[in-house]
Amino acid sequence: MAERPELLEVGRIGKAHGLRGEVSVRLSSDRTERVDPGTVLSTARGDLVVISSRPHQDRWIVRFEGIDDRTDAERWHGVILLAEPIDDPDALFVHELVGCRVVEVDGTD
């Protein structure tokens, strides 16, 4: 069986937005596809599936399956969103640098 990659923190749920269960999400990633419809994000409380999202100031307004009204949305405030790393050979991500050796131009550590 293939080993599951370590999940990365990609955002955090903020305040409820409106009455239909939407929440604000602050992404800690510049990869906005993290909130594309159909995306599955993991949390300590279980997985959430994005129904819809739209940019709003410096955040995103997101609707998740199973969060159907403002009361539900308020219960998710502060929950961290996790996802698998994105495989992009043209990008270098922080999680790929952890544990690496850093060397000056002259070769010193």
Side-chain angles (χ1 to χ4, degrees), residues 8-75:
L8 305 175
E9 182 176 328
V10 297
R12 182 180 298 259
I13 296 176
K15 295 180 180 179
H17 183 84
L19 301 174
R20 298 180 319 201
E22 291 179 313
V23 294
S24 67
V25 170
R26 182 178 299 274
L27 289 177
S28 51
S29 167
D30 64 351
R31 303 301 292 253
T32 60
E33 65 263 35
R34 296 294 196 179
V35 289
D36 282 352
T39 300
V40 178
L41 298 171
S42 296
T43 77
R45 296 168 60 180
D47 290 349
L48 291 172
V49 178
V50 177
I51 295 173
S52 64
S53 65
R54 64 184 185 279
H56 178 71
Q57 298 171 352
D58 61 342
R59 297 181 182 96
W60 288 81
I61 302 301
V62 180
R63 180 117 192 259
F64 292 106
E65 281 183 14
I67 302 177
D68 298 318
D69 60 33
R70 186 172 185 88
T71 302
D72 286 343
E74 288 170 347
R75 291 185 187 120

Side-chain angles (χ1 to χ4, degrees), residues 88-102:
D88 182 347
D90 295 326
L92 186 60
F93 297 102
V94 172
H95 72 274
E96 296 172 317
L97 297 175
V98 174
C100 289
R101 181 175 171 225
V102 178

